Amino acid sequence: MAGSTDPSFDPWDPAFLADPYPAYAELRARGRVIRYEATDQWLIPRHADVSALLRDRRLGRTYQHRFSHEEFGRSAPLPEHEPFHTLNDHGMLDLEPPDHTRIRRLVSKAFTPRTVERLQPYVQDLASDLVAALVRDGGGDLLTDVAEPLPVAVIAEMLGIPEEDRGQLRPWSADICGMYELNPSEETAAKAVRASVEFSEFLRELIAARRKEPGEDLISGLIAAHDEDDDRLTEQEMISTAVLLLNAGHEATVNATVNGWWALFSNPAQLAALRADHSLIPSAIEELMRYDTPLQLFERWVLEDIEIDGTTIPRGAEIAMLFGSANHDPAVFTDPDRLDLTRTDNPHISFSAGIHYCIGAPLARIELAASMTALLQQAPTLALAAEPERKPNFVIRGLRGLSVEVG
């Protein structure tokens, strides 16, 4: 049966945001599905259910491929929010087949294992240069000096965004991603709309320039697909795809980096083990993404009635799969609240699963390994300089900064 929400689960409470994992344990103890009135959602806290539902085609990231808003019992978005929804709703993350299949097939050509492997020297050199600058300065903010510029530069390079224009990308992304939080405020929505308009206009001009002078970049490749393939992209799909790749291509990596290093500083024995044995880096990356998950929640619409543990969740409802809770489920992970960089059996779902599995996961792993390797090699005495402040966000979990020093 569905349980009631535990009072300790409060996504707007700073104490919960500082450490949501005890509240998740209470949710898992209450049941497999829990009604949460504050967001009009059904919470799914256990790993087996989250993993299965990510693959369940009775659920969708959208319902508009099958139902109108009225048929689905939902209200249309407010007209003043239209620029955000136009941008968001044409990206493959918020589409279902056949549109999702068509767009993902075209985009996946840029993320083949060979293509990603070819990027590795560029990623490693950039990470090394960023860390070298941090060391020369005796420390700094790991977020703004290393974690942020690395993935932003990599995805911007892939897309062919000129270097002089890249400073706008992170602020636009942050404003747009504010809409993915639970019950965003009108101020958050206004920022997202403004960023959507500006980002879209910027990309529209860049697409026009690439049409005249194509390059070797991904935007030129998307234009070629748009102009030549039977399964072509519309211009709006190109814009939405580029924004999605830029946002998803760095948000998780930035937060995984700072969350990960904060976890290492908080677990000095594990950090010492990693410093003593750099061969732990691959398993450390997986464990750090599990231990403090960058994306805590992923939503799906219920397209057909489903039943979980005797509870019927009707068509038109929304479920919220709690990735952070699933990644701490003791039914799957031994001693889940302990950071263990040697953990080998680690089926975390930080990159999602099913048809919406993160297309950039191999690239994210290369970026995380490159920055971690550079920091371990060039800054072996890296230490925390000040307690970090957590962002007041729940869904996208990260820090405002991570102040470090190099002895």
Side-chain angles (χ1 to χ4, degrees):
M1 295 293 291
S4 59
T5 314
D6 190 276
S8 62
F9 180 84
D10 182 352
W12 299 277
D13 178 12
F16 170 83
L17 294 175
D19 183 10
Y21 299 102
Y24 289 153
E26 293 172 10
L27 286 181
R28 290 191 302 270
R30 284 181 178 267
R32 294 170 54 195
V33 56
I34 296 121
R35 181 79 180 136
Y36 190 45
E37 298 293 344
T39 57
D40 190 24
Q41 292 173 319
W42 296 84
L43 306 179
I44 310 295
R46 296 187 187 178
H47 187 282
D49 292 319
V50 171
S51 183
L53 291 171
L54 285 169
R55 298 168 170 85
D56 194 322
R57 304 311 304 140
R58 293 173 299 171
L59 307 176
R61 283 289 292 172
T62 183
Y63 53 80
Q64 294 183 68
H65 60 308
R66 288 179 53 179
F67 306 102
S68 68
H69 295 300
E70 294 75 19
E71 289 169 335
F72 206 63
R74 293 280 164 173
S75 301
L78 295 173
E80 56 266 33
H81 296 171
E82 182 272 328
F84 165 79
H85 288 287
T86 295
L87 181 63
N88 184 72
D89 295 353
H90 287 82
M92 61 183 172
L93 183 61
D94 281 80
L95 289 171
E96 292 297 316
D99 287 331
H100 172 272
T101 309
R102 172 176 55 86
I103 296 174
R104 188 172 177 113
R105 182 180 64 79
L106 295 170
V107 174
S108 64
K109 294 175 182 177
F111 286 91
T112 63
R114 182 179 297 178
T115 307
V116 172
E117 203 172 301
R118 278 205 302 265
L119 279 170
Q120 195 159 354
Y122 170 75
V123 175
Q124 290 171 338
D125 288 347
L126 181 54
S128 180
D129 290 347
L130 291 168
V131 171
L134 182 80
V135 171
R136 277 196 305 272
D137 292 342
D141 184 350
L142 195 63
L143 174 73
T144 56
D145 295 344
V146 177
E148 194 172 83
L150 176 64
V152 171
V154 171
I155 198 70
E157 188 76 16
M158 286 182 72
L159 282 160
I161 292 178
E163 213 162 317
E164 62 270 20
D165 294 326
R166 294 177 185 177
Q168 308 167 85
L169 302 179
R170 179 67 170 165
W172 279 336
S173 174
D175 285 348
I176 290 170
C177 288
M179 284 292 273
Y180 305 137
E181 293 299 320
L182 298 176
N183 297 355
S185 67
E186 193 48 51
E187 181 187 359
T188 297
K191 285 183 178 179
V193 167
R194 185 168 58 249
S196 298
V197 170
E198 292 174 1
F199 208 163
S200 296
E201 194 51 46
F202 167 77
L203 287 167
R204 198 167 278 112
E205 291 175 8
L206 185 59
I207 288 167
R210 289 290 182 273
R211 274 213 176 90
K212 291 177 184 171
E213 290 186 46
E216 297 296 313
D217 53 84
L218 179 52
I219 285 181
S220 297
L222 293 176
I223 291 167
H226 168 64
D227 291 340
E228 295 169 15
D229 287 14
D230 290 336
D231 291 337
R232 63 187 60 182
L233 297 176
T234 66
E235 181 166 270
Q236 183 58 60
E237 287 170 343
M238 274 194 280
I239 290 168
S240 296
T241 295
V243 170
L244 173 63
L245 291 174
L246 279 161
N247 291 354
H250 78 268
E251 282 289 346
T253 310
V254 170
N255 293 320
T257 301
V258 291
N259 290 348
W261 276 95
W262 171 225
L264 289 169
F265 290 137
S266 303
N267 292 268
Q270 290 295 298
L271 178 54
L274 181 61
R275 283 173 168 157
D277 183 3
H278 292 185
S279 72
L280 289 175
I281 289 173
S283 62
I285 288 168
E286 303 305 317
E287 174 67 351
L288 290 165
M289 290 200 72
R290 179 202 71 82
Y291 182 75
D292 201 9
T293 310
L295 181 68
Q296 291 279 309
L297 176 151
F298 206 57
E299 296 156 324
R300 286 282 201 281
W301 295 107
V302 180
L303 306 177
E304 301 170 26
D305 291 4
I306 60 172
E307 186 179 301
I308 300 174
D309 199 25
T311 296
T312 298
I313 304 179
R315 187 189 89 177
E318 189 176 35
I319 66 169
M321 292 172 281
L322 298 174
F323 282 16
S325 176
N327 281 342
H328 280 246
D329 190 340
V332 176
F333 303 99
T334 303
D335 201 0
D337 295 328
R338 182 171 68 88
L339 182 67
D340 178 8
L341 302 186
T342 66
R343 193 184 298 271
T344 51
D345 184 16
N346 193 350
H348 69 77
I349 50 171
S350 300
F351 289 118
S352 192
I355 67 167
H356 290 290
Y357 180 79
C358 177
I359 200 170
L363 180 58
R365 287 185 168 107
I366 285 174
E367 292 168 348
L368 291 166
S371 66
M372 182 174 282
T373 299
L375 286 162
L376 291 170
Q377 289 177 346
Q378 297 183 48
T381 61
L382 190 73
L384 190 66
E387 285 284 310
E389 184 184 350
R390 191 159 289 286
K391 287 181 179 177
N393 299 341
F394 166 53
V395 175
I396 300 175
R397 181 170 172 80
L399 303 173
R400 291 191 185 276
L402 191 64
S403 184
V404 296
E405 56 191 12
V406 181

